[in-house]
Amino acid sequence: MNPNMENEYGGDQIQILEGLEAVRKRPGMYIGSTSSRGLHHLVYEIVDNAVDEALAGYCDTIDVRIDPGNVVTVSDDGRGIPVDINHKAGKSALEVVFTVLHAGGKFGGGGYKVSGGLHGVGASVVNALSEWLEVEVKREGKVYHQKYERGKTITKVEEIGTYDDNTTGSKVTFLPDDQIFEEVEFDFEILKNRFREMAFLTKGLRIRMEDHRNEEEGIKKCDFHYEGGINEFVTYLNKGKTPIYDDVIYCEGTKNGVYVEVAMQHNDGFNESVYSFVNNITTPEGGMHLEGFRRALTKIFNEYAREKKLLKDNEENLTGEDIREGLTAIVSIKIENPQFEGQTKQKLGNSEARGAVDSIVTENLKVFLEQNPSTGKAICEKSILAQRARDAARKARDLTRRKSALDGLSLPGKLADCSDNDPKNCEIYLVEGDSAGGSAKTARDRANQAILPLRGKILNVEKARLDRIYANEEIKSMITAFGTGIHDDFDITKLRYDKIIIMTDADVDGAHISTLLLTFLYRFMPELIKQGHVYLANPPLYKLEKNKNVWYAYSDEELNKILMEVGRDDKNKIQRYKGLGEMDPEQLWDTTMDPEKRILKRVIYDEETASTIDMTFTILMGDQVEPRRAFIEENAKYVQNLDV
Ligand code: TSJ
């Protein structure tokens, strides 16, 4: 071999290693964080590459498998990652994909590539952050293989076999590096929700997953495949709600090089559930594509309402909010060089996307409304009702605002506030009922724990219009106690407590009240949940006493465990707590409120699967019983245990 060549190759190699070393040194720069969230991004990154192959038209099915030890395998039936020598890099294209930063998809043609956000950083980043990674490619009758450790090449690209069934595909297996990640346990539900979303966004694509980590208990599986794409997504999101017209309205087209797809349907509720995506990546902060969509809707329905005389000449225009009341929609665009802006890089900055979405939606909606006048009328009538309610709500809100200005923002009378002035040290317990509230007031640490008793059932904000919500006493006291304001005035820096702790009875009613409170927080102050300020207290179900010893059990399993130790025959010393009210203040402190001993559950919010969370609340709090039962059986997954 020409020694110069060898040198050159060696030089390249060093540079490449430095590239991936940088990823290991500052993983957060590439995958956002090294928490559970970053961990899951590894899987999305690999799956995204296979989805690109599907978008290019060459792949129908993606399989994901989790094995014991959190080893993940992603395989597809695409063309197979090219293995021939990439002349610029002087090595196999396959090796380039896994060892050169940002090299993913730079060769070959077709498809849309993502260059920003948290995804699209390339398979090499996953490789760098994996203890080991193996890739297998089936192409032209040959099977190729390569293995890496912490980003470094361990074996050459080798031909390890042949086959003659004409199939092709790529398969990547990796083990996330526990030197990098705080946590290496994959959450089946989180992955499942994201894969469902990905399948909706790429019509026709099948994504399957199997979880083999705990085979004794069974193999968990899911299988998503939607020929209807985002139309089916909207139908799915409106499950448990009552649509006000039958069809999902669908708009599609390409303009300025931007491919635009929109699906929408109104329900008889009051919330706006519009999710936007760029190259299949969620954009929780919206951006130009969402602006284009909103602009088109507002313009079209105002024009339509005037033309049909549903809105009189002397009446005010409908606002965008009026038209979006009860709207469920997906705005999905594909664009070649997306620019992501904002603090979390989740907002689309490309201005050409605004015009593209606006004109595609305008054109499609015009045609749709001509052919479906009754749907047009239903939307306008609902928007006009929303307009009237908005006026009433503004009056109610102004009234609360003026009132609080007069009282100098006085705190609610029922609040037993804490004395420490530093919000960092403070927590507020939202307690169901006056009697439990009384116990909690006696039990608490007065310096740092505030108590706000709430009476009976909390207003279901999922079923009420704004005017009623702002007039509700319990809701008003929460808003003033938190100090953050609400709606356009919301300011998290004014939050008066670091922890908002929901404390309800450990029974069905208590769970219902918790969910009502969470629904309020989720709809009206989502930042509190997103930034991890919201917790559920965890009161015990049983108390056991024997020879002056006391045990508390927080679950039936725990009770059984204690009974095994203490002896089953002593069952009559057991006390089943029917509610917080049955505990005296000392017991309440010991079991549920003492920061040294208590267990709190933190409520988590995963942006990646926001649409699923939204539906969760709809299903739990909406009218329809059947989806709720099914959901509760599957178990609420938005709560994560946390010892504090
Ligand atoms: F990113 C990755 F390497 F991790 C990965 C890539 C993981 C998985 C599961 C699949 C893939 C992948 C890549 N599937 N299919 C492809 N396709 C290509 O890389 C490819 C194939 C052929 C051509 C061509 O022009 O002939 C071009 C490309 C980009």
Side-chain angles (χ1 to χ4, degrees):
M1 192 193 274
N2 178 335
N4 285 332
M5 276 292 283
E6 203 176 316
N7 267 341
E8 235 174 80
Y9 185 79
D12 275 349
Q13 189 81 324
I14 287 160
Q15 194 193 344
I16 288 157
L17 291 179
E18 275 175 2
L20 291 192
E21 269 318 311
V23 178
R24 290 182 60 82
K25 272 209 190 92
R26 295 167 151 243
M29 296 257 298
Y30 299 87
I31 52 158
S33 79
T34 53
S35 65
S36 164
R37 197 175 161 154
L39 177 79
H40 289 82
H41 268 114
L42 298 185
V43 185
Y44 306 152
E45 178 56 44
I46 296 296
V47 173
D48 277 350
N49 281 279
V51 171
D52 282 342
E53 185 74 354
L55 288 173
Y58 298 102
C59 155
D60 300 317
T61 305
I62 299 172
D63 280 294
V64 180
R65 186 185 154 111
I66 317 174
D67 276 299
N70 288 290
V71 172
V72 173
T73 301
V74 181
S75 56
D76 71 14
D77 59 353
R79 290 167 293 179
I81 306 168
V83 291
D84 47 329
I85 299 294
N86 177 281
H87 291 289
K88 206 161 151 217
K91 55 182 164 183
S92 163
L94 180 70
E95 186 165 339
V96 173
V97 167
F98 284 95
T99 57
V100 180
L101 212 45
H102 292 298
K106 280 235 174 100
F107 54 90
Y112 294 90
K113 270 291 159 189
V114 179
S115 64
L118 294 176
H119 305 263
V121 288
S124 63
V125 168
V126 180
N127 191 20
L129 302 178
S130 296
E131 195 173 311
W132 55 263
L133 181 147
E134 282 185 73
V135 54
E136 209 177 280
V137 170
K138 286 169 85 179
R139 258 180 99 88
E140 293 156 0
K142 293 185 172 121
V143 186
Y144 302 89
H145 171 270
Q146 188 166 35
K147 180 163 185 170
Y148 321 84
E149 284 174 12
R150 301 197 160 98
K152 292 180 181 158
T153 306
I154 291 296
T155 65
K156 293 196 177 104
V157 175
E158 284 169 321
E159 192 187 310
I160 57 163
T162 57
Y163 62 97
D164 54 15
D165 61 5
N166 272 321
T167 57
T168 56
S170 308
K171 181 165 94 176
V172 175
T173 305
F174 66 97
L175 175 67
D177 193 344
D178 62 8
Q179 292 176 2
I180 300 281
F181 292 95
E182 293 150 33
E183 202 195 318
V184 288
E185 186 80 15
F186 287 105
D187 184 322
F188 183 81
E189 296 296 320
I190 289 178
L191 292 172
K192 175 176 151 185
N193 286 334
R194 173 65 185 145
F195 294 152
R196 184 193 299 111
E197 191 174 89
M198 283 174 153
F200 276 130
L201 289 166
T202 311
K203 60 177 138 216
L205 173 64
R206 161 163 267 134
I207 304 182
R208 297 184 292 208
M209 174 163 63
E210 285 188 9
D211 185 350
H212 291 257
R213 282 175 297 182
N214 198 344
E215 284 190 354
E216 305 92 78
E217 282 182 25
I219 300 163
K220 283 196 236 172
K221 289 183 192 185
C222 59
D223 184 339
F224 301 115
H225 174 231
Y226 306 101
E227 282 303 334
I230 61 169
N231 269 10
E232 280 191 68
F233 199 167
V234 168
T235 304
Y236 173 82
L237 291 171
N238 266 342
K239 214 162 64 176
K241 305 190 193 188
T242 311
I244 60 167
Y245 45 89
D246 289 340
D247 295 327
V248 175
I249 305 172
Y250 181 71
C251 311
E252 186 194 16
T254 303
K255 185 120 190 172
N256 310 334
V258 184
Y259 172 69
V260 178
E261 243 192 318
V262 170
M264 56 181 267
Q265 187 184 44
H266 287 79
N267 58 65
D268 68 356
F270 311 115
N271 296 307
E272 174 185 344
S273 303
V274 177
Y275 295 98
S276 59
F277 298 86
V278 175
N279 299 349
N280 288 353
I281 294 166
T282 168
T283 38
E285 292 179 66
M288 291 298 176
H289 53 330
L290 194 62
E291 274 186 35
F293 171 64
R294 291 181 166 175
R295 193 184 275 192
L297 272 197
T298 310
K299 186 183 56 194
I300 285 284
F301 283 104
N302 270 300
E303 276 175 21
Y304 189 80
R306 297 263 177 223
E307 185 193 303
K308 300 282 175 199
K309 306 279 182 223
L310 298 164
L311 209 54
K312 313 247 157 41
D313 288 345
N314 63 342
E315 285 175 319
E316 252 184 72
N317 257 1
L318 301 165
T319 66
E321 258 184 73
D322 296 334
I323 295 162
R324 297 192 304 272
E325 187 188 272
L327 175 67
T328 298
I330 300 293
V331 177
S332 171
I333 71 161
K334 304 271 165 47
I335 185 168
E336 209 142 343
N337 282 305
Q339 303 298 316
F340 291 100
E341 298 177 342
Q343 276 218 315
T344 49
K345 300 263 177 248
Q346 289 174 324
K347 186 173 178 181
L348 184 72
N350 305 55
S351 58
E352 72 271 26
R354 184 174 50 201
V357 179
D358 186 345
S359 69
I360 302 278
V361 171
T362 301
E363 283 165 26
N364 281 266
L365 267 182
K366 274 191 174 151
V367 175
F368 178 88
L369 289 173
E370 263 166 41
Q371 294 167 351
N372 301 272
S374 63
T375 300
K377 190 164 171 240
I379 295 172
C380 290
E381 281 170 352
K382 181 173 171 62
S383 306
I384 290 165
L385 282 181
Q387 185 185 44
R388 293 189 191 140
R390 178 169 50 85
D391 284 340
R394 194 196 303 122
K395 284 181 192 135
R397 198 148 36 111
D398 284 352
L399 213 67
T400 3
R401 245 193 230 145
R402 214 169 322 130
K403 193 160 159 275
S404 51
L406 284 177
D407 323 342
L409 273 168
S410 73
L411 292 165
K414 292 185 300 172
L415 174 75
D417 208 6
C418 49
S419 56
D420 195 318
N421 283 325
D422 185 352
K424 268 207 303 293
N425 306 325
C426 296
E427 43 192 52
I428 182 169
Y429 279 80
L430 308 178
V431 188
E432 159 193 4
D434 286 333
S435 82
S439 292
K441 281 183 187 176
T442 313
R444 72 190 176 125
D445 159 10
R446 289 169 170 267
N448 307 107
Q449 296 180 322
I451 309 293
L452 182 64
L454 298 170
R455 207 171 304 124
K457 293 268 156 153
I458 309 301
L459 178 71
N460 183 353
V461 298
E462 206 68 11
K463 289 195 204 159
R465 273 222 164 88
L466 281 181
D467 49 341
R468 260 188 73 208
I469 295 170
Y470 288 130
N472 181 272
E473 285 305 323
E474 317 300 311
I475 285 180
K476 276 197 286 194
S477 19
M478 283 191 276
I479 297 170
T480 26
F482 297 168
T484 54
I486 197 159
H487 211 72
D488 298 336
D489 302 332
F490 182 83
D491 180 357
I492 199 157
T493 64
K494 298 217 174 99
L495 182 62
R496 298 179 59 249
Y497 309 94
D498 181 66
K499 293 190 177 70
I500 294 168
I501 304 169
I502 297 171
M503 184 160 75
T504 57
D505 291 344
D507 60 11
V508 179
D509 282 344
H512 188 224
I513 291 167
S514 298
T515 317
L516 287 164
L517 285 169
L518 283 174
T519 307
F520 164 66
L521 294 172
Y522 170 72
R523 291 286 181 211
F524 287 82
M525 304 177 168
E527 276 311 304
L528 297 183
I529 300 182
K530 287 185 197 177
Q531 300 197 17
H533 291 291
V534 181
Y535 299 80
L536 301 178
N538 195 28
L541 293 174
Y542 304 98
K543 179 188 175 186
L544 286 91
E545 253 182 288
K546 189 184 183 180
N547 310 331
K548 286 188 182 159
N549 286 321
V550 179
W551 293 264
Y552 293 100
Y554 294 81
S555 66
D556 287 315
E557 290 114 72
E558 210 175 337
L559 174 69
N560 286 333
K561 223 169 84 185
I562 297 168
L563 282 174
M564 298 272 258
E565 283 164 24
V566 179
R568 283 215 164 252
D569 40 296
D570 291 302
K571 265 190 189 164
N572 51 343
K573 274 180 195 138
I574 304 169
Q575 182 186 354
R576 165 123 175 96
Y577 287 122
K578 291 202 196 68
L580 294 168
E582 288 183 8
M583 273 186 259
D584 59 40
E586 199 186 329
Q587 291 169 343
L588 189 60
W589 168 259
D590 278 346
T591 59
T592 316
M593 293 177 72
D594 179 358
E596 300 285 319
K597 295 189 211 147
R598 71 183 177 195
I599 293 170
L600 292 183
K601 294 172 177 172
R602 176 185 259 163
V603 180
I604 55 165
Y605 184 112
D606 178 28
E607 298 265 17
E608 224 73 48
T609 51
S611 65
T612 309
I613 302 176
D614 190 313
M615 198 188 53
T616 303
F617 279 103
T618 306
I619 289 182
L620 284 175
M621 304 321 301
D623 295 317
Q624 297 181 20
V625 177
E626 204 32 59
R628 173 159 56 231
R629 181 180 330 205
F631 179 85
I632 290 171
E633 275 166 18
E634 276 186 43
N635 198 354
K637 199 58 208 183
Y638 53 92
V639 172
Q640 193 182 55
N641 284 326
L642 186 81
D643 294 278
V644 179

